[in-house]
Amino acid sequence: MAAESSIIAHVPTYHPLFSDPAADTNLRSTEGTLFRVPAFVLRRTAGYFAATLPATADAEPVPLDEPAALLARMLSMLCGLPPPDPPLDFDAAEAILALAERWDAPGAAARVRDMITGPVFLAEPPAPVRRCLRIASRGTLTLFLYDEIHNELLRRLPTRDLMALLGLHRRRRDTLDRMLSGENAEGINPAAVAGRCTVCELQVDNYLWREYRARIFAEMDTRPMGDTVIGSAVDEWREALACWSAKCTGPECGKLIYDKDVILPEIKACIDKLPDTV
């Protein structure tokens, strides 16, 4: 009888959402709960598994230093499954974001950040909102907070937190503008935007670059993330086209004044240096 009890005690327990025998990888939580997950999904969605999973399926479960509840939420995101109950709250969001960082899983992190800037989370009491404001603030960088559609939700934030959030958006816009002036040591290479021909050194009026900067400033005001400043849509900006087509008027010169292939990577480098949380 004792032997039979011992055998029963060692029967593996699979999480009900991750028990498909067709999945070729077994993960084990700290409690011993097993998760069957396709190896190709793990490698494709998380850098951690791309580097650590064996090339072929291993009969032994992969031990993970994570509880079953957290693994169920994270693996549901990686596998594109509906989230398990209970509904996601701030505690779970923080835990998933921390795990996404450890696993190098940017898709899961982006999904959580989108969720914690939504109506359900902004309607939470002030304490948890403040506790996760630093995390949530990054997700708001795609929003124009002054749009009236956000008024009702923003009114629910304590004044201190609202000012911090608005300050982050404004700081990204203003800091980038200073970096693109050519007068900031951490900013763009001054020679790239000096309005001076690199062949004959003729100095031209730099108003084209100033107009381009003003357009970037306006774009950052409405979408502080900065992705639309360096995306393909920029090729349609009147200000950008004017810069890329400007040529030196020196005798027999005609060289382009502003090098698009140099300036756009410089702008991206500046954006990468901007603060992204309160």
Side-chain angles (χ1 to χ4, degrees):
M1 189 68 174
E4 183 180 350
S5 298
S6 177
I7 293 173
I8 294 175
H10 287 85
V11 173
T13 301
Y14 284 90
H15 191 281
L17 294 179
F18 299 93
S19 58
D20 185 354
D24 54 3
T25 300
N26 287 329
L27 306 178
R28 187 175 65 227
S29 72
T30 52
E31 304 95 329
T33 303
L34 298 179
F35 295 78
R36 282 193 175 116
V37 187
F40 80 91
V41 172
L42 294 173
R43 293 194 182 99
R44 181 169 52 85
T45 57
Y48 171 80
F49 291 107
T52 60
L53 275 187
T56 57
D58 191 345
E60 292 297 320
V62 177
L64 297 173
D65 192 24
E66 313 294 344
L70 177 57
L71 287 179
R73 288 189 179 279
M74 173 61 88
L75 293 174
S76 293
M77 289 187 175
L78 298 186
C79 296
L81 299 176
D85 290 330
L88 190 68
D89 57 17
F90 275 116
D91 289 329
E94 284 185 304
I96 294 173
L97 285 171
L99 181 56
E101 184 174 352
R102 293 195 295 274
W103 281 7
D104 185 20
R111 185 173 171 184
V112 173
R113 291 189 183 109
D114 285 343
M115 295 171 70
I116 62 179
T117 56
V120 173
F121 280 88
L122 290 180
E124 288 288 316
V129 170
R130 185 176 299 117
R131 178 161 53 86
C132 281
L133 183 62
R134 185 174 186 276
I135 298 171
S137 59
R138 185 182 289 112
T140 68
L141 296 178
T142 60
L143 307 177
F144 179 45
L145 293 182
Y146 295 97
D147 191 316
E148 62 182 17
I149 65 174
H150 303 303
N151 287 351
E152 182 58 33
L153 294 175
L154 293 177
R155 286 193 190 99
R156 300 175 183 175
L157 288 175
T159 301
R160 180 180 65 179
D161 298 335
L162 176 58
M163 294 304 294
L165 197 58
L166 295 174
L168 170 65
H169 286 217
R170 184 176 61 251
R171 187 161 65 252
R172 284 178 64 88
R173 179 200 66 190
D174 295 348
T175 301
L176 180 61
D177 188 55
R178 289 193 296 271
M179 295 174 81
L180 298 184
S181 69
E183 301 173 359
N184 189 308
E186 297 296 320
I188 199 168
N189 180 2
V193 295
R196 182 185 298 275
C197 179
T198 57
V199 175
C200 67
E201 297 191 348
L202 177 69
Q203 179 70 51
V204 300
D205 190 329
N206 213 15
Y207 76 93
L208 290 178
W209 175 248
R210 291 194 296 271
E211 288 190 347
Y212 190 9
R213 270 181 59 200
R215 177 63 186 270
I216 292 175
F217 184 92
E219 192 72 16
M220 290 292 291
D221 196 36
T222 58
R223 190 177 172 90
M225 177 66 74
D227 51 337
T228 54
V229 166
I230 53 177
S232 59
V234 174
D235 293 336
E236 301 178 4
W237 289 5
R238 175 186 61 81
E239 297 85 354
L241 293 174
C243 271
W244 309 147
S245 61
K247 295 182 179 180
C248 177
T249 57
E252 300 181 359
C253 185
K255 179 178 173 55
L256 292 174
I257 297 295
Y258 304 99
D259 190 334
K260 174 183 178 180
D261 294 334
V262 170
I263 290 177
L264 288 183
E266 291 263 355
I267 295 175
K268 183 181 185 304
C270 290
I271 291 174
D272 289 344
K273 296 175 184 177
L274 298 176
D276 60 359
T277 57
V278 296

